[in-house]
């Protein structure tokens, strides 16, 4: 099908987004053409600014516009407990629950030998460094309840065990094969409550 170049470029851009197939991309592109100029400018600016102004916290790896992030800077939080998650979206899911008052560590992925992703490819070395510098007593391993998430939790648990830091795994109530970010707050809260020692 023929589109003028600016439209086909816009369609291509939408196709790069997750969950957007070719048909939806066409629909969105034409929707944008019908939006008013100010809304389109705001939309474009939000995309560019989000990318430009956000960085990863040098301590915990969470997305932030200040380094260290607000959570790492918050002295009222319990620094003896670190909740280890795969993705910044998981931090946001945990924060929405409003029950966890420790700190986080974002791995940005999970160990997956099938895809050639080892511990060095995700944020594990930084976690180990944090354990040397910070007085951490417990690691809550809240990686996703699927094969890669379980493998990552087991790996970290074994790595940390000799140091005497307690490791626990959230499990209860979370659907196997699911993503942490999609769990509702009650399920996530139960999962945290029902964590078991590793
Ligand atoms: Zn941080």
């Amino acid at each position: 099908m023929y589109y003028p170049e600016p439209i086909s470029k816009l369609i291509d851009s939408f196709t790069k987004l997750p969950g957007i197939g070719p048909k939806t991309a066409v629909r969105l592109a034409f929707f944008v053409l019908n939006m008013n100029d100010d809304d389109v400018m705001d939309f474009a600016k939000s995309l560019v600014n989000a990318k430009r102004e956000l960085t990863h916290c040098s301590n915990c790896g969470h997305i932030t516009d200040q380094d260290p992030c607000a959570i790492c800077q918050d002295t009222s939080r319990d620094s003896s407990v670190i909740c280890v998650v795969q993705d910044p979206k998981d931090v946001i899911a945990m924060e929405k629950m409003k029950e966890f008052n420790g700190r986080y560590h974002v791995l940005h992925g999970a160990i997956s030998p099938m895809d050639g992703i080892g511990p060095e490819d995700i944020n594990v070395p930084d976690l180990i460094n944090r354990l040397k510098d910070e007085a951490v007593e417990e690691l809550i391993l809240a990686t996703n309840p699927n094969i890669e998430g379980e493998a990552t939790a087991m790996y970290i648990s074994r790595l940390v065990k000799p140091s005497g830091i307690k490791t626990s795994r959230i499990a209860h109530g979370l659907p196997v094969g699911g993503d942490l970010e999609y769990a509702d707050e009650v399920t996530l809260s139960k999962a945290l409550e029902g964590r078991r020692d590793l």
Side-chain angles (χ1 to χ4, degrees), residues 57 59-62 69 72:
C57 173
N59 191 45
C60 73
H62 188 37
C69 73
C72 285

Side-chain angles (χ1 to χ4, degrees), residues 59-60 69-84 95 100-105 130 134 138 140:
N59 191 45
C60 73
C69 73
I71 296 173
C72 285
Q73 282 192 46
D74 184 350
T75 50
S76 73
R77 298 187 75 114
D78 181 359
S79 56
S80 73
V81 188
I82 293 180
C83 179
V84 180
E95 284 298 285
F100 179 69
N101 194 39
R103 293 180 200 268
Y104 295 95
H105 192 81
R130 280 183 76 180
E134 299 173 30
E138 181 180 0
I140 300 172

